[in-house]
Amino acid sequence: MSNRLRPSPVLLVWLFLGLLVVPTRAQEWQQEVQIITTVRPGEPTYVFLDSLSAVLDRTPDARLRRSAERLEAQSYDELRNALLDEGMDLTSASHAFIRYRFVLNNQGTRLVESIEDIYFISRFDENYTDLPILYVSTQDPIVSDALMKRGIPNIVNLKSITTFRELLAFPLLHKQQETAMVEFGGRPLRDNFLPQRETLLEFLTNHTTLGSGAYDLTTRYEQTMQSALNTTTAASLQ
């Protein structure tokens, strides 16, 4: 089940006016952005990576990649040993690239935010020398479940949790001082995209609230499963 936030009516108008301009289906428009954020002890990204590491340690058949460009996959033990050979481990991650996809239905009544992938890197210097640590796609059910079903105890009700999917929601992460948008619409962010970036940040950070049915938080795997369920249900009704 996806987590939910609420977009303001102004946000929906803005989305229709021109930023979500890439059609996917007759009923939907979409936009994709990527951010870079820090991975420090105590931060949601760090706690998520630590939790995912524990899951992978118990999943010997998982196949992982150090980066999206590396086609060869390896087991968690192989990846961990490769990092050790380079004097690193998962805790060496200092930053994470997170790619989001926003989809708005044609009626302007439901906005879905999906995390597409997360790429953890180690950035040691100001020259942006990035060393790959771990790349994960949320099409992987292991990664999706870690986001959707794991989290940290809720400070109000310790019997419940705040899921990592909520903690890594775009509006919440972008409030962090050292988070920045690096791609917009699948292209590196240039100066001519600054107005779009500022509009996106203003509305997604100031006009969304947790707990409504109008803004859903999900993953690629969850969307695939929901689409399959919808297809099966529609076929059974024919």
Side-chain angles (χ1 to χ4, degrees):
M1 181 179 295
S2 57
N3 299 288
R4 294 174 173 179
L5 297 93
R6 169 185 290 174
S8 72
V10 182
L11 169 62
L12 299 179
V13 171
W14 163 75
L15 290 169
F16 273 119
L17 286 179
L19 285 183
L20 297 187
V21 296
V22 183
T24 55
R25 293 182 294 182
Q27 297 82 23
E28 298 177 348
W29 285 263
Q30 67 177 348
Q31 188 55 273
E32 186 177 278
V33 300
Q34 186 185 56
I35 66 168
I36 184 171
T37 190
T38 54
V39 181
R40 297 191 181 117
E43 292 181 340
T45 47
Y46 184 95
V47 182
F48 170 68
L49 180 57
D50 184 63
S51 178
L52 179 61
S53 174
V55 172
L56 293 173
D57 198 35
R58 301 191 300 268
T59 316
D61 57 339
R63 305 299 294 171
L64 306 168
R65 288 184 288 166
R66 292 275 299 272
S67 71
E69 290 74 26
R70 297 192 180 188
L71 299 180
E72 69 278 8
Q74 52 192 169
S75 70
Y76 180 58
D77 282 344
E78 291 171 333
L79 182 143
R80 186 163 47 187
N81 290 334
L83 288 172
L84 289 174
D85 288 342
E86 298 174 22
M88 300 187 295
D89 57 22
L90 288 184
T91 63
S92 299
S94 63
H95 294 77
F97 291 95
I98 305 178
R99 189 181 310 278
Y100 299 88
R101 183 178 298 275
F102 301 96
V103 178
L104 177 72
N105 68 0
N106 196 42
Q107 293 75 32
T109 56
R110 183 170 178 265
L111 181 65
V112 177
E113 176 199 297
S114 171
I115 290 181
E116 301 289 285
D117 53 40
I118 306 176
Y119 177 32
F120 294 95
I121 63 165
S122 182
R123 178 173 287 180
F124 287 107
D125 54 51
E126 296 180 355
N127 295 323
Y128 301 106
T129 302
D130 297 340
L131 301 178
I133 300 295
L134 175 66
Y135 168 83
V136 291
S137 167
T138 66
Q139 187 63 53
D140 186 334
I142 297 173
V143 178
S144 179
D145 284 354
L147 284 166
M148 301 295 293
K149 299 178 181 179
R150 299 174 70 90
I152 63 174
N154 189 302
I155 59 175
V156 176
N157 180 5
L158 295 180
K159 293 183 179 180
S160 65
I161 65 169
T162 301
T163 67
F164 289 119
R165 187 59 194 85
E166 294 175 79
L167 293 169
L168 299 183
F170 178 87
L172 302 184
L173 269 191
H174 212 281
K175 291 179 181 179
Q176 295 185 15
Q177 183 177 1
E178 296 186 51
T179 298
M181 190 185 301
V182 294
E183 282 190 7
F184 187 94
R187 291 174 289 178
L189 191 64
R190 307 295 185 189
D191 288 343
N192 59 315
F193 281 98
L194 291 179
Q196 290 94 325
R197 181 190 66 179
E198 294 307 314
T199 303
L200 183 68
L201 297 185
E202 178 183 355
F203 283 97
L204 287 183
T205 57
N206 298 331
H207 297 274
T208 60
T209 56
L210 289 168
S212 92
Y215 194 105
D216 290 353
L217 302 176
T218 188
T219 65
R220 290 178 63 190
Y221 177 77
E222 288 286 314
Q223 288 186 306
T224 299
M225 293 297 99
Q226 186 61 54
S227 177
L229 177 61
N230 292 344
T231 299
T232 301
T233 302
S236 66
L237 294 176
Q238 292 180 353

